[in-house]
Amino acid sequence: MDKIKNPFSPGAGSPPPELAGRDIVLEQARVLLGRAKAKRSEKSLLLTGLRGVGKTVLLNAIEHIAKDQDYRTILVEAHEGKSLAVLLAPHLRRLLFDLDRIAGAGDKARRGIAVLKSFVGAIKLKIGDLDIGLDIEPEAGSADSGDLEVDLPSLFMAVAEAAEERGTAVAIFIDEIQYFNMTELSALIMAMHKMQQRQLPLVLIGAGLSILPGLAGESKSYAERLFNFPDIGPLFQADALKALQDPVQEVGESFSDDALKEIFRLTKGYPYFLQEWGYQAWNQAVTSPITLQVIQETSDLVAKRLDDNFFRVRFDRLTPKEKTFLRAMAELGEGPYRTGDIAEKLNTKINILGPVRANLIKKGMVYSPSYGDMAFSVPLFNEFMRRVIPNFESCL
Ligand SMILES: Nc1ncnc2c1ncn2[C@@H]1O[C@H](COP(=O)(O)OP(=O)(O)OP(=O)(O)O)[C@@H](O)[C@H]1O
Ligand SMILES: [Mg+2]
């Protein structure tokens, strides 16, 4: 079959030909954006889910909706070792200058720039030569305490008031939100708390691995009241079949029913795996419909591709100790796993495992779905660990 016409798109953040099974979240986002713009309070959204389930493509889709609703949008991706302030400041600057350019009475955009300038000054932002605006003096006493949990809410307020004055609204999208530290997360939560109290038109839509178990005390209870945490998981069978069949039918071809069901069985409905399977099966097939036999013949190829790419890149970033830790988890079956059980498998004490566990969380390999529990953040990684290290004893 014509490889150029292949509709599938395996890859990080690559928009799928059919965004299947996400109608409820998209509707939630539409309602949030609509209500915030009308100054009615609504919980912000944090999309949480494992690697490759489609958080980034959803975030992009919601950004489109926001733009259609005349929102001003900012989309950033958090990294290990890059602070929230450094990440956001240049975007907020651009946004405030854009707002300042819109004709209208009032000077809140200029004030926003002044507040941003004092914010940047206070945290001694090292972002090269970010020139906030030469002719604008920083606003002393606003967002310049140097304490992010105080300053970020003030900054967001200044931005939101500027947007409000210009008759628009702001949506901030943050991907990989789990990379922020506790102070940063808590500052974001405080800032969103302010937005809700004042009913200002600024919403936050985040995506990443679950952050809730990592938050402590007050931050956590605020977060639960201020955010919805839709769980982005594998697709249900009907949606997974649609994600495969519809794009193929669109270009005049098809899958047989048993072929579709077999792909669902093998992928368990995980979106990244569905795209990879669709892509390879199409290339392997000689004619349409793509049959069960083609799927069976493609099976080894796809398994190898996933092992060599999707799984391998993550595996190669691990130290020997980290590999052993993950292999012990895999030995315990499906998960989530109690830290105590992992320690027992490794014949060691929980506190000795602390640093390895912390590094694995930092690398985004595992997360804590609830207190004291660990789980793989990459779907089916337990099976991969058993494939690359068949014998558990050998890695001890
Ligand atoms: N609803 C969906 N239907 C079909 N395919 C999808 C869907 N959502 C995502 N995909 C596909 O899954 C793959 C992974 O998507 P994406 O990069 O958004 O996942 P992610 O959750 O952001 O992963 P990571 O945690 O690694 O960043 C892409 O190839 C994308 O096209
Ligand atoms: Mg992503």
Side-chain angles (χ1 to χ4, degrees):
M1 301 196 359
D2 184 353
K3 290 186 179 166
I4 292 171
K5 277 202 197 156
N6 191 330
F8 293 102
S9 60
S14 336
E18 162 95 23
L19 186 59
R22 303 301 188 208
D23 293 352
I24 292 176
V25 185
L26 290 170
E27 181 57 23
Q28 252 179 322
R30 224 171 262 124
V31 170
L32 161 64
L33 292 163
R35 286 183 62 87
K37 205 157 178 223
K39 297 190 203 100
R40 299 202 176 89
S41 65
E42 185 61 56
K43 287 180 173 183
S44 283
L45 283 179
L46 278 186
L47 318 173
T48 61
L50 303 183
R51 294 279 167 210
V53 288
K55 300 179 295 297
T56 300
V57 299
L58 256 179
L59 216 53
N60 289 326
I62 298 172
E63 192 194 14
H64 272 124
I65 299 174
K67 285 195 163 137
D68 284 347
Q69 294 192 14
D70 289 328
Y71 266 79
R72 303 282 157 153
T73 66
I74 289 179
L75 195 153
V76 295
E77 185 183 323
H79 307 271
E80 253 175 294
K82 190 155 189 189
S83 76
L84 171 66
V86 169
L87 210 58
L88 282 182
H91 293 274
L92 291 174
R93 172 185 182 274
R94 176 187 50 74
L95 184 115
L96 287 164
F97 273 96
D98 283 353
L99 291 175
D100 190 38
R101 253 176 251 126
I102 303 175
D107 59 359
K108 293 209 165 127
R110 299 230 118 204
R111 175 177 178 254
I113 298 167
V115 173
L116 178 64
K117 205 164 178 180
S118 56
F119 175 81
V120 168
I123 52 165
K124 299 184 186 57
L125 209 52
K126 293 188 190 62
I127 38 179
D129 47 359
L130 181 73
D131 172 17
I132 299 288
L134 290 177
D135 58 334
I136 295 176
E137 286 298 312
E139 185 177 294
S142 294
D144 61 358
S145 74
D147 175 352
L148 194 66
E149 288 176 347
V150 176
D151 294 348
L152 195 70
S154 306
L155 177 60
F156 272 26
M157 265 183 35
V159 171
E161 282 170 358
E164 189 181 31
E165 190 183 73
R166 289 288 185 263
T168 182
V170 176
I172 300 180
F173 295 86
I174 304 182
D175 204 356
E176 303 284 354
I177 199 155
Q178 78 280 355
Y179 282 129
F180 291 136
N181 62 34
M182 266 274 282
T183 314
E184 291 171 325
L185 287 173
S186 136
L188 269 178
I189 291 162
M190 297 300 169
M192 293 319 294
H193 191 202
K194 268 266 150 35
M195 298 302 102
Q196 274 222 349
Q197 281 175 339
R198 306 282 167 99
Q199 307 210 307
L200 286 167
L202 186 153
V203 300
L204 176 69
I205 299 172
L209 303 172
S210 182
I211 56 158
L212 262 184
L215 288 175
E218 215 163 300
S219 295
K220 185 164 176 166
S221 71
Y222 270 135
E224 281 162 343
R225 274 180 284 139
L226 294 171
F227 291 91
N228 278 317
F229 294 88
D231 182 21
I232 311 302
L235 300 180
F236 293 122
Q237 178 159 345
D239 296 322
L241 303 195
K242 219 167 124 52
L244 292 163
Q245 187 72 292
D246 285 9
V248 168
Q249 282 182 346
E250 196 118 309
V251 287
E253 315 290 357
S254 69
F255 279 104
S256 70
D257 284 347
D258 50 0
L260 286 176
K261 289 203 177 110
E262 179 63 2
I263 298 183
F264 180 73
R265 188 183 72 79
L266 293 162
T267 57
K268 305 200 167 115
Y270 280 103
Y272 183 85
F273 301 148
L274 288 172
Q275 294 301 322
E276 189 70 52
W277 261 104
Y279 187 81
Q280 299 302 338
W282 172 290
N283 286 353
Q284 194 75 11
V286 181
T287 56
S288 170
I290 304 171
T291 60
L292 175 62
Q293 198 191 339
V294 171
I295 302 308
Q296 284 158 348
E297 285 164 7
T298 315
S299 177
D300 286 350
L301 173 75
V302 175
K304 194 171 168 340
R305 272 187 65 93
L306 289 174
D307 278 7
D308 291 351
N309 300 299
F310 188 74
F311 293 121
R312 191 88 212 181
V313 288
R314 299 161 203 268
F315 183 78
D316 287 345
R317 294 173 55 218
L318 303 170
T319 65
K321 269 197 187 141
E322 291 163 0
K323 288 177 185 166
T324 308
F325 185 102
L326 295 182
R327 183 61 184 83
M329 279 170 64
E331 192 66 11
L332 291 165
E334 281 286 310
Y337 316 89
R338 304 291 306 170
T339 317
D341 294 343
I342 302 168
E344 197 174 306
K345 261 276 162 255
L346 291 166
N347 243 330
T348 183
K349 297 216 174 71
I350 294 183
N351 56 347
I352 293 182
L353 291 179
V356 183
R357 180 174 170 275
N359 281 335
L360 284 168
I361 291 176
K362 243 194 238 151
K363 288 184 180 174
M365 291 303 299
V366 298
Y367 72 108
S368 169
S370 55
Y371 187 76
D373 277 343
M374 301 296 301
F376 283 104
S377 52
V378 183
L380 311 186
F381 206 77
N382 58 338
E383 292 172 18
F384 169 75
M385 284 307 296
R386 288 198 292 270
R387 277 198 299 280
V388 283
I389 309 175
N391 179 3
F392 172 58
E393 308 299 325
S394 73
C395 71
L396 289 175

